[in-house]
Amino acid sequence: MIASATLSPALQRACSVLYLALRKILMLAGLIFIIALIGQQSGRFNLLDSFMGLVPSSEAAVAVEEELADLAAEPSLGSLSPRMRGALDYVSKRYRVADEALLPIFSTAQATARELHLDPLLIIAVIGVESGFNPFSQSVVGAQGLMQVIPRFHLDKLPEEIPSASFLDPVTNVQVGARVLKESIRRNGGLEEGLQQFGGAVSDPERRYAGKVLAEKQRLEQAALRLRTTT
């Protein structure tokens, strides 16, 4: 039996881009050689210079570089920690969301948590409680997206280059929501107190919102542990 390997979509795109770029370069090199030969035989030594002035080679090179840069920036399972990979597997099964749709969310949660010194699984747990991983979720009070951010209160947390209409973008929503969560924890002096404020439940003495988030985080931890023990 002949073994076969299936390339990931991102790798297939990279190979396709490189193949097309190489083919164009070889065609151009062949054409330059022919024109140079014709110019030498005919005595028109400036023929090649005239031709090169018509070739938009720099634009083609920039296009290829931009495409490869986009491919390199695409998140992958390999870019996630083992802990986050186990959590992603759990979330995919529980909420019936494709791994490919979850990857940008988990990658953003991991990177943003590292920047803010938060636990990335805490961010994922909040998303599960707030929206069930529905990026288009909106509450009656206008809270939007994965982490149910209220745009009018948190415009200051948007990156400068991002338009204010981007709160429903999953990556932007997680970035902003994580900053809101971090600020709530800092202002209220503790994790549970911060979660209660984040969930709009400061007046609840039983801290039920915080309990739901922490219970979800515990399930994520257990899923991550199961993955580590079976691999």
Side-chain angles (χ1 to χ4, degrees), residues 165-224:
S166 299
F167 280 96
L168 287 176
D169 172 70
V171 169
T172 302
N173 195 277
V174 171
Q175 290 173 334
V176 174
R179 284 171 170 77
V180 176
L181 177 59
K182 175 71 174 184
E183 186 177 274
S184 296
I185 295 171
R186 179 180 59 80
R187 284 185 173 179
N188 290 273
L191 177 58
E192 290 191 19
E193 295 84 355
L195 284 170
Q196 286 298 118
Q197 184 187 57
F198 185 91
V202 176
S203 60
D204 179 12
E206 297 181 12
R207 297 182 177 179
R208 283 170 290 188
Y209 177 83
K212 287 174 63 176
V213 171
L214 295 177
E216 178 70 357
K217 181 175 177 293
Q218 182 62 32
R219 287 189 285 269
L220 293 167
E221 294 277 13
Q222 291 170 353

Side-chain angles (χ1 to χ4, degrees), residues 79-101:
S79 67
L80 296 177
S81 68
R83 190 164 168 257
M84 291 292 278
R85 288 200 299 271
L88 186 146
D89 183 67
Y90 163 80
V91 167
S92 178
K93 291 181 172 65
R94 180 177 183 186
Y95 295 95
R96 298 183 181 180
V97 182
D99 289 358
E100 292 79 3

Side-chain angles (χ1 to χ4, degrees), residues 98-175:
D99 289 358
E100 292 79 3
L102 291 173
L103 268 173
I105 299 170
F106 274 68
S107 180
T108 303
Q110 179 173 272
T112 307
R114 186 180 299 119
E115 175 190 343
L116 299 176
H117 304 289
L118 285 173
D119 187 336
L121 290 189
L122 178 64
I123 297 174
I124 297 300
V126 168
I127 293 172
V129 171
E130 287 288 341
S131 66
F133 290 86
N134 176 7
F136 306 113
S137 176
Q138 179 162 314
S139 74
V140 293
V141 297
Q144 294 181 345
L146 292 170
M147 296 189 73
Q148 291 293 279
V149 176
I150 301 179
R152 65 180 182 273
F153 294 153
H154 303 295
L155 288 172
D156 61 310
K157 294 178 180 63
L158 277 174
E160 291 183 2
E161 69 277 9
I162 303 297
S164 59
S166 299
F167 280 96
L168 287 176
D169 172 70
V171 169
T172 302
N173 195 277
V174 171
Q175 290 173 334

